Amino acid sequence: MDDQQLPGMPHPSPLRVTRTDDGRVVAVHAGPFLLTVFDAADLEMRDLVICSLTEGSRFQGKTVAAAFGIQPSQVSRIRSRYREHGARGLVHQMGRPPVLSPAQLRQARTWAGQGLTHAEIGRKLGLSRSRISELIKKQGTLHATDPLFEDTDDDTDDDGTAPGQRAGATGGEGEQDTDRAGTAGQQGGAGGDGGGASWQVARRIETGTVACRYAGAMLVHAFTHRIGAQGLLTAGTGASPRTGAGAGDLGILACTQMSFTLGALTLEQTKHLTAADAGALAGLTSLPSLRTWRQRLGELADRSDPLALQRRLASQMLAIEPAESQVYLADDHLAEYTGHQRVALGRNPRRGKPTKGHDDTYICDLAGRAIAFTTGEPSALCTTLPGALAALTSALPARDKPGQGNRPLIVFDRGAAFGSAFTEVDAAGYDWLTWRRAPLAATTHLPILQAITLRGHPERQVAWTDEQITLKDYGKPVRQLSLFEHGEMAAQAITGRLTACPAELLGWLRGRWAEENMFKYDMVNYGLDMLADYAADEVVNTKLKANPARTAATKAETAAKTALENAEIALAKLLADHTIPAAAKNSVLIPGAQKKIAACKKKLQAAQAERKKHRAKLPANEIDPAATRAVLHINRRCLQLILRLLAANAEHYLARHLNAYLDDDDEYRAITRETIIRGLGGTITYTPKNITVTLDRPGQGRVTRALGLLLAEINTRPPVLPGDGRPITYTLRPSQ
């Protein structure tokens, strides 16, 4: 008995497959034991037995194939179908496959319901008019109401009708959806993937009360209304407002922004939201189905104007809340791309190596608000900073624009600490402040020892120098601050602003952590580094690459230098060797060594001349005419970033206004995001003239008090939903 088997278990070999005399029944034996019996015509059962023998036992595919009289490759195909599709994959399709898939059949029936002729439908689907007429006559037509929010998942019944809908039914569905608005909180997730969701079309809520678990997120409309999000999105994307009982493009954009607000970093994650509750935040009975949601959002992004969106967002943010000071922080961030296309590489500090992706450059104020941004192919901050400054300049109000007597300050890290970058920043009308790149320069002044006192911290001694220097590639004087710790230089800050207080300059450098915190928290909570899609265009690669001819010539020059050095060393050793007779040295060896040196010098000169003939870098398409590269689409990413920044800056706006009453500098952001926006339920009452949001009371008394004061502040200027003129009033549920 095999020591790897339990006592009493049949030995796996030999395997025998026998048939009865009439050939109708097949029996499978393993040694003396009968394993199974099945009908010879039942091919599905045969394939299932083959899978059980090969997957769960120790029989090899070759052994099973020989026993059943088939090829080993056929056993392999049977096992592959079983692993991919389970038992359903073993079903043998008899006869011709259907001419249309369930989704195509539904589309054909919908087109027929919209009035398209059978000939037009046939041209769209590649079938004849007679075949389309036959299918439509057999299955009937479908009358679509609003294709934007139609459940397009392929969950049709055997007769081609959608679940819960009879073939040929045309009426009553709209009234049922409207009546379900009050009980929408009991339905499943977005896209109908929550297991039997009863809704088919999401409609605008005209009247009714919704018990919403996400009611706290309705506070976000206080920010989006003040910033003019409806005009911003309409002008930047050409979005149409809501019409009739359905919802237009603004409904899609509002649902997307509210999903980001609730922490769904991708549209796929909206499946985890309660569709009716999340849809109520945008004034709809439910979230749209994922398939049409993605399609319509992509169409809006493809026709959007990225520059107009960026400019309008920045200008309207600065219009409602100007920056506290004319000091702005700039930094870039790489959004990683994990696809297979030849996307440009950029440095990813989180991985410590080059990575494919998008490069986003953000400009924030000292409060940590992301005001302006640019996105494109990966590059260094010194390259992307001028474009970001141009976006900021166009967004600044007239009184704050750079000009004579007004020079805002840009603070950035060592990534742009180059003379050429300083020149471009200065030409744009900005002063600059950054850390100096290594190696640090020696100071010409003696350090000054000074005591500083920070609130809540003990007094400490600081040694520093303040001097003016000149930098290569920059034609103006530069101010340099050097900091010393334990008698050694620790850091150097350089700036183009010559008159500011040194402590103020260092405070602004320290304040650059506001942007680092923006990256840290907004990436996690709002997914700023998520890609919108993986679509890219193949273009001719004109980027400069190392010239292979120059590389080969450089290697030849190096080899010639090495040969010359070796020849000179050999001559020196020859002259120093006292064992060789002088006559032999003078007559033979020394002249030979000198000839070799002369030949090496000649080769070196020829190699140097050859190297100078070739440029160091050439466009990639000149090196290889077939060279291409992939350029990721930026329209969809820009629209996505606008919606994510609207969600993130709305939280920032509400948190700052809440903290005026809460006075908790450590936790006010987390309390606003997790306790109120994402954690507070309530009811939303829709009437023809207004919307009332009644929020549950938070668990902490101090948060309840601060929230009540914030609601009173917001109610002085009631906001409205995008595309909806009804004002929103906020109240707290009375204490019991």
Side-chain angles (χ1 to χ4, degrees), residues 457-495:
H457 296 273
E459 182 180 277
R460 60 178 299 187
Q461 301 288 333
V462 177
W464 58 282
T465 62
D466 185 358
E467 55 190 329
Q468 286 192 11
I469 62 171
T470 57
L471 293 177
K472 182 182 178 182
D473 300 329
Y474 186 64
K476 292 186 176 182
V478 175
R479 189 176 184 183
Q480 175 177 281
L481 300 176
S482 304
L483 301 179
F484 294 83
E485 288 185 359
H486 308 294
E488 295 184 357
M489 187 183 300
Q492 280 183 339
I494 52 178
T495 179

Side-chain angles (χ1 to χ4, degrees), residues 134-258:
E134 180 183 353
L135 292 173
I136 297 299
K137 182 179 179 180
K138 180 180 179 181
Q139 301 290 346
T141 60
L142 289 178
H143 296 272
T145 51
D146 188 350
L148 174 60
F149 294 94
E150 186 178 1
D151 186 7
T152 58
D153 292 338
D154 297 334
D155 48 1
T156 55
D157 294 331
D158 293 337
D159 62 350
T161 58
Q165 181 184 14
R166 296 181 181 178
T170 59
E173 184 176 312
E175 290 78 2
Q176 294 171 5
D177 287 332
T178 304
D179 294 339
R180 285 197 297 267
T183 59
Q186 303 174 1
Q187 298 173 2
D193 299 322
S198 59
W199 59 270
Q200 290 294 327
V201 176
R203 293 177 174 273
R204 178 180 175 183
I205 302 177
E206 297 293 345
T207 59
T209 299
V210 180
C212 180
R213 63 188 298 183
Y214 311 124
M218 288 291 287
L219 291 171
V220 169
H221 295 301
F223 172 78
T224 55
H225 173 65
R226 284 207 64 192
I227 201 176
Q230 176 177 340
L232 184 153
L233 297 173
T234 302
T237 64
S240 60
R242 300 179 182 179
T243 56
D249 298 335
L250 283 177
I252 273 286
L253 297 173
C255 286
T256 307
Q257 182 208 334
M258 298 309 296

Side-chain angles (χ1 to χ4, degrees), residues 553 557 561 603-613:
E557 180 184 4
K561 285 182 179 179
K603 286 184 179 181
L604 177 59
Q605 291 175 355
Q608 289 175 339
E610 181 65 20
R611 176 182 58 83
K612 293 178 181 179
K613 293 179 181 178

Side-chain angles (χ1 to χ4, degrees), residues 316-329:
Q316 293 184 196
M317 282 189 59
L318 293 173
I320 65 168
E321 278 196 349
E324 297 177 354
S325 63
Q326 293 198 43
V327 178
Y328 301 97
L329 317 171

Side-chain angles (χ1 to χ4, degrees), residues 628-685:
T628 60
R629 61 188 178 93
V631 179
L632 293 172
H633 296 171
I634 65 169
N635 285 41
R636 298 193 177 191
R637 175 150 185 81
C638 284
L639 179 59
Q640 173 191 244
L641 284 178
I642 290 294
L643 297 175
R644 293 184 189 275
L645 289 177
L646 280 175
N649 288 329
E651 178 218 310
H652 190 280
Y653 172 86
L654 292 172
R656 295 188 67 190
H657 284 251
L658 178 72
N659 198 42
Y661 312 111
L662 186 63
D663 193 20
D664 186 349
D665 291 340
D666 295 328
E667 298 292 336
Y668 74 100
R669 291 291 297 272
I671 290 173
T672 304
R673 181 177 61 252
E674 304 299 337
T675 303
I676 297 177
I677 295 179
R678 297 181 181 176
L680 212 56
T683 58
I684 307 174
T685 302

